């Protein structure tokens, strides 16, 4: 037991899990365990921190271990993460840390090796360098390269796909966790927001915690904090811009609905009888009133509203006539 070296771990020890393992040891009797810990050839712990701690608390002097030979520091970190991931024990926060510290660096390193190998192959093909130089200057395997541009027939995968395969979370979800972490550590945001981010990050330390809900709640709080810091005049300006943008979106959508299948359904409904036709007329009247209100607001922008009314009124009349003639599939001469 004293020979095992425990370095900084991806996961913190869970006291309840340690307790359960001790109970398992007691049930097996003696110094027995169902699964050995894993160490490298230097006796650095790769997997089994909870089992090791439980054995220490139980007073063991020896523990069963699987020793892996030729394991690098990068391999050891990857093996630790993989062991926990396969057992579904990593929380969203731990998965994000694993992606940023283990999987993504390995992904980019493989991409760089592949890029270097591809460049060297090109020089070899053109005869710029010889085969001996090629074999001595290029390392890594082309078969396990992961590109950063997408998926191709050779089996190369994109960064988002690599993130999903490695952690089970989308790259967007991982980035949301990164944003929450950044807010929790930022000195440039209000303390209230920073504390909210810390609480959100704490929620994500549980396996399966809902990342989207935590991120959305924090964004709302961040927006409220931003708005609270604005001068009232600036806040009012932004609110008016939002109202104007909303009006453009909603009226554009309404126009598209009337021009599409919805308009056809209204026409079919209006043929059901006298009452239905009156309902269609009511729609027209309401739209006309809305148009008139818009014309009034537009004309009020001019110091002399009546001069603009003539111009805007002519434009409205012309557009209404042209659109109606087109919709009825008539010629202009038919109307005259």
């Amino acid at each position: 037991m004293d020979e095992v070296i425990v370095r900084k771990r991806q996961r913190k020890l869970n006291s309840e899990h340690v307790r359960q393992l001790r109970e398992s040891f007691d049930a097996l009797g003696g110094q027995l365990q169902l699964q050995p810990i894993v160490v490298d050839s230097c006796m650095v712990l790769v997997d089994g921190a909870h089992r090791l701690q439980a054995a220490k608390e139980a007073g063991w002097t020896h523990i069963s271990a699987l020793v892996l030979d030729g394991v690098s520091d990068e391999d050891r970190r990857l093996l630790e993460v993989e062991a926990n991931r396969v057992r579904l024990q990593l929380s969203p926060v731990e998965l994000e840390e694993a992606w940023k510290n283990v999987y993504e660096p390995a992904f980019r390193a493989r991409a760089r090796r592949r890029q270097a190998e591809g460049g060297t192959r090109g020089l070899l093909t053109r005869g710029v360098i010889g085969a001996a130089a090629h074999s001595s200057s290029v390392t890594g395997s082309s078969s396990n390269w992961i590109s950063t541009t997408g998926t191709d027939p050779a089996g190369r995968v994109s960064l988002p796909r690599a993130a999903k395969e490695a952690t089970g979370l989308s790259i967007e979800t991982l980035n949301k966790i990164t944003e929450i972490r950044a807010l929790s550590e930022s000195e440039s945001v209000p303390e209230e927001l920073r504390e909210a981010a810390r609480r959100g990050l704490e929620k994500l330390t549980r396996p399966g915690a809902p990342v989207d809900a935590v991120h959305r709640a924090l964004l709302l709080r961040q927006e409220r904090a931003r708005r609270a810091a604005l001068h009232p005049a600036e806040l009012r300006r932004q609110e008016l811009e939002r109202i104007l943008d909303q009006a453009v979106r909603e009226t554009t959508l309404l126009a598209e609905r009337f021009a599409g299948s919805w308009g056809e359904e209204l026409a079919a409904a209006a043929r059901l009888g006298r009452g239905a036709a009156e309902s269609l007329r009511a729609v027209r009247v309401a739209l006309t009133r809305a148009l008139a209100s818009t014309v009034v607001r537009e004309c009020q922008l001019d110091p002399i509203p009546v001069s603009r009314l003539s111009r805007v009124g002519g434009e409205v009349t012309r557009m209404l006539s042209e659109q109606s003639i087109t919709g009825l599939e008539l010629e202009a001469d038919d109307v005259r």
Side-chain angles (χ1 to χ4, degrees):
M1 293 284 292
D2 294 338
E3 296 178 41
V4 179
I5 302 169
V6 181
R7 294 182 179 171
K8 182 180 178 182
R9 307 291 297 163
Q10 173 70 28
R11 303 192 70 226
K12 297 179 181 178
L13 286 176
N14 184 308
S15 58
E16 175 61 20
H17 187 34
V18 172
R19 184 191 65 78
Q20 292 173 355
L21 286 170
R22 284 198 59 183
E23 291 181 353
S24 173
F25 293 166
D26 292 340
L28 291 171
Q31 294 190 188
L32 295 175
Q33 66 206 81
L34 291 175
Q35 185 176 7
I37 65 171
V38 182
V39 296
D40 63 17
S41 56
C42 296
M43 298 304 288
V44 176
L45 184 68
V46 174
D47 180 47
H50 287 87
R51 278 161 278 157
L52 182 66
Q53 181 62 28
K56 286 181 178 179
E57 293 181 5
W60 292 13
T61 57
H62 295 75
I63 188 170
S64 300
L66 175 67
V67 182
L68 303 179
D69 191 26
V71 176
S72 67
D73 285 344
E74 180 182 337
D75 293 334
R76 181 172 48 77
R77 289 194 299 270
L78 182 59
L79 287 167
E80 178 196 345
V81 171
E82 278 293 291
N84 285 296
R85 183 180 72 86
V86 169
R87 290 196 296 269
L88 301 178
Q89 291 181 335
L90 292 182
S91 68
V93 165
E94 290 167 331
L95 287 169
E96 184 263 349
E97 289 178 341
W99 170 250
K100 294 296 183 184
N101 299 326
V102 179
Y103 290 116
E104 186 177 19
F107 174 97
R108 297 192 183 281
R110 285 193 295 270
R112 287 193 296 271
R113 286 198 297 268
R114 174 60 181 181
Q115 185 177 26
E117 187 179 59
T120 306
R121 277 201 304 269
L123 295 175
L124 182 64
T125 301
R126 295 195 300 272
V128 177
I129 61 174
H134 169 64
S135 61
S136 63
S137 63
V138 178
T139 61
S141 169
S142 63
S143 63
N144 62 359
W145 173 64
I146 305 176
S147 78
T148 56
T149 57
T151 304
D152 66 18
R156 303 166 183 171
V157 298
S158 65
L159 184 69
R161 179 176 168 185
K164 184 69 174 180
E165 291 179 350
T167 67
L169 301 177
S170 68
I171 192 71
E172 292 80 12
T173 298
L174 292 168
N175 287 338
K176 288 176 182 177
I177 299 172
T178 301
E179 290 177 22
I180 296 171
R181 187 191 302 280
L183 279 176
S184 72
E185 300 171 352
S186 175
E187 296 294 333
S188 63
V189 301
E191 175 59 29
E192 179 184 359
L193 180 59
R194 193 159 56 246
E195 180 58 31
R198 293 190 189 115
R199 291 196 300 271
L201 207 60
E202 179 64 27
K203 292 179 181 178
L204 298 181
T205 58
R206 298 189 297 273
V211 175
D212 285 344
V214 172
H215 184 258
R216 185 165 51 249
L218 195 60
L219 286 184
L220 290 174
R221 187 182 289 270
Q222 184 180 22
E223 177 61 17
R224 286 198 296 269
R226 185 192 69 80
R227 292 173 65 84
L230 292 176
H231 187 279
E234 174 62 17
L235 195 61
R236 175 61 175 166
R237 185 188 69 81
Q238 291 187 8
E239 177 62 17
L240 291 175
E241 287 183 348
R242 185 193 66 78
I243 292 174
L244 189 60
D245 289 342
Q246 182 181 2
V248 172
R249 288 195 303 272
E250 292 184 358
T251 52
T252 300
L253 178 60
L254 185 63
E256 291 174 353
R257 293 181 68 187
F258 270 97
S261 59
W262 198 49
E264 295 296 330
E265 295 296 329
L266 285 176
R271 296 187 182 95
L272 296 178
R274 175 70 178 176
E278 286 298 320
S279 295
L280 188 60
R281 179 181 178 278
V283 171
R284 173 172 56 80
V285 171
L287 291 174
T288 302
R289 288 175 177 172
L291 177 60
S293 296
T294 305
V295 169
V296 169
R297 302 296 183 265
E298 191 175 354
C299 290
Q300 287 174 339
L301 298 175
D302 199 304
I304 307 176
V306 68
S307 63
R308 177 169 289 199
L309 177 60
S310 176
R311 184 171 65 257
V312 172
E315 181 182 353
V316 169
T317 302
R318 183 175 64 257
M319 288 184 63
L320 179 61
S321 177
E322 291 174 353
Q323 292 292 320
S324 299
I325 291 173
T326 301
L328 291 170
E329 299 180 351
L330 299 175
E331 298 292 340
D333 293 339
D334 296 334
V335 179
R336 296 191 189 94

